[in-house]
């Protein structure tokens, strides 16, 4: 199956499927990185059935819109035949719960209740604590919240599947995202080790935000295309979105 998909992708690239046809077939280094990476991601989607491609159009355009490049966004809207994507103004559940917890007390109480796992931390504790870290008024309080998250995650579980601590994996994901957003590579690597899939393309792209040259992963994005599942494309979108939105750390 993998060789068949690779053959399909090579054929599409040879035909010049979209703007990437004129670019380096291996990487997306250079000033046109964003356009090339989006092309690579959609090329990976090209092996999916049409109905799955249709379902990917909205998240793809939401990601492309983070670039702020009107020409690029317009190009993809025309290419996918989709209307303007307007961002949701709804406050995420975890942010609401974090704000509720902080409204009821100070940061000491926030962390005490989080450690105890009482409401609102009885459901979605890693996500709520992560939102608390984002709401922290100072870097020292943010670090304090993150260290509490690492403490609650505990030492890395060596088991996998149903034997694994699901909350630890959730803490790992939340901490990896926070560390990527604050450009803390050491904390990022510490967090990724706690996740359920540390070798995920998502984390590889997030790490590149701190180390540079995410375009080097374009070939992996194309080559790992999955004809039966949208997960690969969604992971690539989630991984590249912070670079489109905020750029590189250095």
């Amino acid at each position: 199956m993998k060789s068949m998909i690779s053959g399909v992708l090579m054929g599409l690239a040879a035909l010049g499927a979209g703007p990437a046809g004129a670019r380096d077939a291996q990487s997306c280094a250079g000033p046109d990185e964003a356009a090339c990476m989006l092309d690579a991601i959609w090329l990976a989607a090209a092996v999916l059935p049409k109905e799955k491609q249709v379902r990917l159009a909205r998240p793809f355009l939401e990601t492309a819109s983070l670039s702020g490049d009107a020409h690029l966004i317009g190009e993809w809207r025309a290419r996918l035949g989709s209307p303007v994507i307007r961002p949701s103004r709804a406050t995420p559940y975890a942010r609401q719960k974090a704000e509720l917890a902080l409204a009821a007390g100070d940061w000491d109480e926030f962390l005490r209740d989080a450690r105890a796992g009482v409401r609102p931390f009885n459901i979605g504790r890693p996500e709520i604590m992560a939102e608390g870290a984002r709401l922290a008024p100072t870097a020292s309080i943010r670090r304090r919240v993150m260290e509490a998250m690492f403490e609650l995650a505990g030492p890395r579980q060596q088991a996998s599947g149903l034997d694994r601590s699901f909350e630890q994996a959730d803490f790992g994901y939340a901490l990896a995202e926070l560390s990527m957003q604050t450009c803390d590579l050491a904390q990022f690597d510490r967090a990724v080790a706690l996740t359920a899939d540390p070798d995920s393309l998502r984390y590889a792209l997030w790490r590149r935000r701190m180390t540079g040259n995410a375009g080097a992963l374009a070939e992996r994005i194309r080559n790992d295309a999955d004809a039966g599942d949208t997960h690969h494309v969604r992971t690539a979108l989630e991984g590249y979105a912070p670079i489109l939105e905020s750029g590189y750390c250095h």
Side-chain angles (χ1 to χ4, degrees):
M1 176 62 75
K2 182 66 70 176
S3 61
M4 183 182 297
I5 292 173
S6 297
V8 171
L9 292 175
M10 289 176 63
L12 287 172
L15 289 171
R23 300 189 183 98
D24 183 346
Q26 301 301 313
S27 73
C28 284
D32 291 334
E33 179 195 282
C36 181
M37 287 291 280
L38 288 172
D39 252 351
I41 295 170
W42 195 253
L43 195 63
V47 300
L48 289 161
K50 188 65 177 179
E51 63 272 14
K52 291 187 177 182
Q53 292 182 37
V54 170
R55 290 202 297 271
L56 284 169
R58 182 178 181 88
F60 186 94
L61 287 172
E62 287 175 344
T63 302
S65 70
L66 297 174
S67 69
D69 184 330
H71 175 75
L72 184 63
I73 297 166
E75 181 181 82
W76 278 105
R77 279 179 52 209
R79 188 168 167 184
L80 299 181
S82 297
V84 175
I85 299 296
R86 303 193 183 282
S88 171
R89 290 183 170 82
T91 303
Y93 170 87
R95 174 60 67 97
Q96 292 178 33
K97 295 301 181 181
E99 291 173 343
L100 179 65
L102 288 168
D106 59 18
W107 287 99
D108 289 335
E109 292 177 66
F110 180 91
L111 292 174
R112 181 199 65 201
D113 290 348
R115 288 188 173 98
V118 299
R119 290 184 178 180
F121 298 97
N122 57 320
I123 299 174
R125 176 164 64 169
E127 295 81 6
I128 296 171
M129 292 185 74
E131 289 301 326
R134 293 185 180 94
L135 291 168
T138 66
S140 62
I141 292 176
R142 182 176 64 246
R143 284 193 298 271
R144 188 179 166 201
V145 175
M146 290 179 69
E147 280 306 315
M149 293 171 71
F150 275 114
E151 173 192 323
L152 288 167
R156 180 182 178 184
Q157 299 281 333
Q158 297 301 319
S160 61
L162 294 176
D163 294 326
R164 186 181 186 85
S165 166
F166 289 108
E167 189 178 50
Q168 179 179 88
D170 289 344
F171 269 123
Y173 174 90
L175 284 162
E177 186 173 34
L178 283 168
S179 301
M180 175 272 296
Q181 290 169 344
T182 57
C183 299
D184 189 330
L185 183 58
Q187 291 287 70
F188 177 82
D189 287 341
R190 180 184 174 194
V192 168
L194 301 173
T195 64
D197 187 10
D199 295 324
S200 167
L201 175 63
R202 174 199 300 113
Y203 302 128
L205 285 164
W206 283 1
R207 198 174 196 279
R208 288 284 180 164
R209 178 169 184 256
M210 292 171 278
T211 63
N213 191 20
L217 294 170
E219 186 176 8
R220 176 178 172 184
I221 291 171
R222 300 184 195 104
N223 289 347
D224 289 354
D226 186 339
D229 193 348
T230 63
H231 177 73
H232 172 67
V233 174
R234 292 180 185 276
T235 299
L237 290 172
E238 184 179 358
Y240 195 59
I243 298 173
L244 281 175
E245 184 173 26
S246 303
Y248 288 99
C249 293
H250 304 293

